[in-house]
Amino acid sequence: MARRETAAGPGSRALVVDLIRSSGPISRVELTEATGLTQPSISNIVRRLIDDGVVRETGATIATGGKPRTLLTINSRAVFGIGIQLGVENAVCIATDTTGGVFGRQLLDGAGSGEPQQVIERLARDYRGFLAGLGIDETRVAGLSIVTPGPIDLQRGLVIGPPSMQRWVDFPLRDALAELVSVPVLVDNDSAASALGEFWSRQISRDATYACIYMGSGIGAGIVAGGALYRGASSNPAELGHISIDAAGIECFCGNRGCLERYAAPPAVVAAARAHAALSRELGLDADTERSFDSIARAAVQGHPAALELVEASAGQLAVATLSLANLFDIDRMTLAGWGFAIAGSIYARAIRNALDQRAFARRAHSVTVELSSNPRDTAAVGAAALILQSSLAPGHGPSMIRSH
Amino acid sequence: MARRETAAGPGSRALVVDLIRSSGPISRVELTEATGLTQPSISNIVRRLIDDGVVRETGATIATGGKPRTLLTINSRAVFGIGIQLGVENAVCIATDTTGGVFGRQLLDGAGSGEPQQVIERLARDYRGFLAGLGIDETRVAGLSIVTPGPIDLQRGLVIGPPSMQRWVDFPLRDALAELVSVPVLVDNDSAASALGEFWSRQISRDATYACIYMGSGIGAGIVAGGALYRGASSNPAELGHISIDAAGIECFCGNRGCLERYAAPPAVVAAARAHAALSRELGLDADTERSFDSIARAAVQGHPAALELVEASAGQLAVATLSLANLFDIDRMTLAGWGFAIAGSIYARAIRNALDQRAFARRAHSVTVELSSNPRDTAAVGAAALILQSSLAPGHGPSMIRSH
């Protein structure tokens, strides 16, 4: 890899915050060495971070023979980021502190088929109740981030798909929600948020070329390369679910044919299981896709032959597509996240590891580490909150936020 | 897109050189505005570039009412970069000046099946003859760059595939060649070099998320995002030819199954044509893959039904895979380069444009511009030379070079 560029530009503040967060207590001298920035630059940045309440001195010092070095740490409860992952059936709301640690969690109703304006009015009420329950005053909230499946319009802060959220197309989600709360609001892609959240919380090296495979009602991926989220032309990259695995296959809502997620994502697996009346009854499948997929996944893990066959077929298809993704992005580290991996994640991880070990194009140059998220159902919401903290700690970076008050 | 970061770090010199090259004569004040760097930073960088002979003052000035502004331009003949694209059958050698303009070109024999050491001794002789023919003294050569199909080991400067170059696996190409010439040597991937070369020579915006699809004996792609070549974990990204288009398909040398290039690349098209004795005779196919593919492509463009059917099948398969690539990288601009597109490029471009217009995931967010390279057979060699100039103009960036003398 080329040497990382470092200079006292707008990215420096984010870099310094990132180093303080990931290193534990650290001195200004060590920051100078780690960043390549000059000592006056580091002093300036640190002074402003302390003034803003983001960083504090621990009180401890290191004796060096010369002037003792004061240690710096993140002021974890200075501000909170709130992330909401909005799905059709469910939504998850998460509060994280500035270290990226989860401070509170609540399960909410999803978007359903209601009017978007009514749904966000409910979400705004839920958000206020969530803060009240945690005892967080809204003045300490850096922002509210709402993430959904793509495609999204990052600049305008709205959802332009998928069909399960057709009513939301062109609804000004970010701006309408900003009218209802007293903090800045941003809208982003659930896979991108997951990647950022996992990257932070797992303290993945900035040298890694990292993919977070996100499987919920659809399949997506977020990529972090050189320490930065890969955004592409319109913040709609890495649509893994829309790799065609069969050029003559079934039509997808996206306009393409034979898209992976039409065969391998939980709704397809559940539909295949429902087609067998006996299996459907035995596993107690109902109208809720997530709950039904959980039942199939649980049976598969316990060795139920029909359920295992369905999950293994899904895992095999996902593995082939993930191998293509790895060959295109030259990935060396990967996490599986999202509710689709919550129960049968190990079956998916095994299929993906096998495919990568035996067939990855660059396997003679490097291996690919595949891990399961430790918190797969919440990843996107945690990442959404991380996006808020990233924007508020390093203004000018990441998606734009609207503050209406 | 997030605001571009600019600061007086090691990347600033490259940025300034890039702006002077792409803008035409430009003043220091305009550079300050375009980069966001301070005026003293710009003055320092420009002074050093002039001292190094990379940039010169044109002598012209702009009257502004205040102090007249001196215009700066690239000192085009200050140094030359030499690029060699090494294929099995052919090799192309290119000299470019600091503006990226082609100063000389020569067709050489490819790697064939000879001993690597003998092949590079011949290449070193060819290189010296090439310089002599152009009247370039070796002291004015910034370096020699040799590019091949992947996978490569960028750090060690060697080729670790493909099977057509099996003898080269673990041969220390860069270091052995550096023993034979008096300039620094680097080894890189032909697709990456193509992408960089097209990005420079077409003056593509740094805001574009750009893919160069490279089709020669194999199919690859190079990606430029945010003005920088996407490198991945090991500089082996965007192996478009190794997307599986049929999970149960034929085995590929790479270990995967159903890889695109086994069906759609020129060797596969030529093999399909050779299987028809009459067609093979009619088109005058011989043992040379590139020449034979040219015959098929020429017949297809002229409307020969059997040839057209073969080329359109290849184009259709490439279009499906390119759509997957665009969905993963969220591409908004694309060039088709490499000898595979030299004659029937328009047939491929049409198939790819149709697929992207009708089926790209983010098509409601943005379109994808698809263009043909203006110099498809030389793209990789031109890009190889551009890699040299990039490394020598902006030291510390790009792949490492070995200088043995």
Side-chain angles (χ1 to χ4, degrees), chain A residues 169-204:
Chain A
V169 172
D170 293 336
F171 176 76
L173 174 56
R174 180 189 62 196
D175 297 355
L177 194 55
E179 290 292 324
L180 302 174
V181 298
S182 305
V183 296
V185 175
L186 66 81
V187 169
D188 210 325
N189 184 298
D190 53 9
S191 304
S194 295
L196 192 76
E198 290 284 334
F199 180 76
W200 273 30
S201 64
R202 300 183 88 82
Q203 303 193 352
I204 288 171

Side-chain angles (χ1 to χ4, degrees), chain B residues 18-104:
Chain B
D18 227 35
L19 280 167
I20 298 175
R21 180 179 18 246
S22 60
S23 65
I26 187 170
S27 69
R28 288 172 179 80
V29 172
E30 289 167 297
L31 284 173
T32 306
E33 286 157 6
T35 57
L37 293 172
T38 62
Q39 223 160 334
S41 294
I42 288 289
S43 295
N44 274 331
I45 292 168
V46 167
R47 190 180 327 114
R48 265 180 248 144
L49 287 170
I50 290 175
D51 288 348
D52 292 352
V54 174
V55 163
R56 64 180 175 82
E57 297 186 336
T58 62
T61 55
I62 305 180
T64 60
K67 194 183 163 203
R69 295 176 185 173
T70 311
L71 294 180
L72 302 163
T73 191
I74 295 288
N75 190 5
S76 65
R77 300 288 154 78
V79 284
F80 294 90
I82 309 295
I84 296 180
Q85 183 246 319
L86 180 63
V88 175
E89 291 169 340
N90 299 306
V92 179
C93 184
I94 292 277
T96 59
D97 60 27
T98 47
T99 65
V102 173
F103 187 72

Side-chain angles (χ1 to χ4, degrees), chain A residues 108-269:
Chain A
L108 308 175
D109 286 337
S113 54
E115 276 301 325
Q117 183 62 34
Q118 285 167 18
V119 172
I120 64 162
E121 283 170 10
R122 172 169 56 75
L123 285 176
R125 283 193 302 274
D126 290 342
Y127 155 80
R128 278 189 293 270
F130 178 64
L131 291 188
L134 292 174
I136 298 177
D137 191 274
E138 200 173 7
T139 56
R140 287 164 69 211
V141 174
L144 171 61
S145 168
I146 189 156
V147 300
T148 73
I152 55 140
D153 183 327
L154 190 78
Q155 298 308 325
R156 291 159 68 211
L158 48 86
V159 181
I160 50 180
S164 55
M165 293 180 70
Q166 207 56 48
R167 280 167 176 255
W168 293 77
V169 172
D170 293 336
F171 176 76
L173 174 56
R174 180 189 62 196
D175 297 355
L177 194 55
E179 290 292 324
L180 302 174
V181 298
S182 305
V183 296
V185 175
L186 66 81
V187 169
D188 210 325
N189 184 298
D190 53 9
S191 304
S194 295
L196 192 76
E198 290 284 334
F199 180 76
W200 273 30
S201 64
R202 300 183 88 82
Q203 303 193 352
I204 288 171
S205 159
R206 296 173 73 92
D207 290 335
T209 302
Y210 172 72
C212 178
I213 311 294
Y214 185 78
M215 184 161 80
S217 54
I219 298 173
I223 309 291
V224 180
L229 198 54
Y230 176 88
R231 284 292 192 178
S234 64
S235 292
N236 286 300
E239 283 295 345
L240 181 60
H242 301 278
I243 279 192
S244 173
I245 61 169
D246 179 0
I250 47 179
E251 264 189 64
C252 180
F253 73 85
C254 77
N256 202 355
R257 273 187 179 278
C259 285
L260 170 70
E261 70 178 39
R262 302 262 72 75
Y263 303 87
V269 175

Side-chain angles (χ1 to χ4, degrees), chain A residues 241-405:
Chain A
H242 301 278
I243 279 192
S244 173
I245 61 169
D246 179 0
I250 47 179
E251 264 189 64
C252 180
F253 73 85
C254 77
N256 202 355
R257 273 187 179 278
C259 285
L260 170 70
E261 70 178 39
R262 302 262 72 75
Y263 303 87
V269 175
V270 170
R274 281 190 187 128
H276 298 279
L279 182 66
S280 186
R281 254 195 321 277
E282 185 187 347
L283 299 179
L285 306 187
D286 61 20
D288 184 300
T289 306
E290 185 170 341
R291 199 160 48 221
S292 297
F293 184 73
D294 284 353
S295 301
I296 299 166
R298 202 170 295 112
V301 169
Q302 291 164 356
H304 185 294
L308 187 59
E309 193 177 320
L310 287 170
V311 171
E312 284 191 333
S314 157
Q317 289 165 319
L318 181 60
V320 170
T322 300
L323 175 59
S324 292
L325 176 104
N327 283 350
L328 287 178
F329 281 98
D330 195 10
I331 297 297
D332 62 5
R333 188 153 174 193
M334 195 180 280
T335 306
L336 310 184
W339 58 261
F341 297 117
I343 294 175
S346 56
I347 296 175
Y348 285 94
R350 190 168 57 233
I352 290 171
R353 278 193 202 109
N354 281 345
L356 291 168
D357 287 350
Q358 291 163 25
R359 298 187 263 151
F361 189 77
R363 67 190 180 281
R364 282 184 289 182
H366 62 85
S367 61
V368 186
T369 307
V370 179
E371 297 164 314
L372 290 171
S373 167
S374 52
N375 193 12
R377 288 189 207 270
D378 292 349
T379 304
V382 171
L387 277 170
I388 284 289
L389 294 171
Q390 193 195 42
S391 342
S392 63
L393 298 181
H397 282 68
S400 54
M401 297 207 287
I402 290 291
R403 181 192 283 278
S404 71
H405 298 274

